[in-house]
Amino acid sequence: MNRVYVCNCFGVTEAQVKQHAESGASTPRQIASACKAGTDCGSCVRRIQALLGRGACPRRELIEQGGAAAALESQAELPEAA
């Protein structure tokens, strides 16, 4: 069997992360609660985010769910760069 490890610290595979996601984990923190991945050195957190579909744009999920106005509103609350 070909295993792709996401978290070398705890030996968590890509398949395990996907299984936890299918069971309801939707954030890296929830994945960490389920299997400890991302809780030691942290180098796998970005990969976990990518597997959860959150790697590119943190507001993408909100926008895709029809919350574009809310995403823009929260962006408007950010201080402007000088």
Side-chain angles (χ1 to χ4, degrees):
M1 184 189 314
N2 187 11
R3 294 184 182 187
V4 177
Y5 286 94
V6 173
C7 176
N8 290 319
C9 296
F10 293 104
V12 179
T13 65
E14 189 173 287
Q16 288 172 305
V17 170
K18 288 179 181 180
Q19 183 179 14
H20 290 302
E22 289 172 7
S23 297
S26 60
T27 66
R29 184 170 287 177
Q30 290 172 340
I31 295 292
S33 293
C35 63
K36 292 188 176 183
T39 62
D40 193 23
C41 77
S43 66
C44 60
V45 174
R46 288 184 186 245
R47 178 71 181 135
I48 293 168
Q49 288 175 326
L51 289 170
L52 295 173
R54 302 177 50 150
C57 176
R59 292 189 183 101
R60 180 183 72 194
E61 197 172 296
L62 180 63
I63 291 168
E64 288 174 354
Q65 292 174 356
L72 292 173
E73 192 173 281
S74 67
Q75 194 171 23
E77 294 172 4
L78 297 174
E80 290 189 28

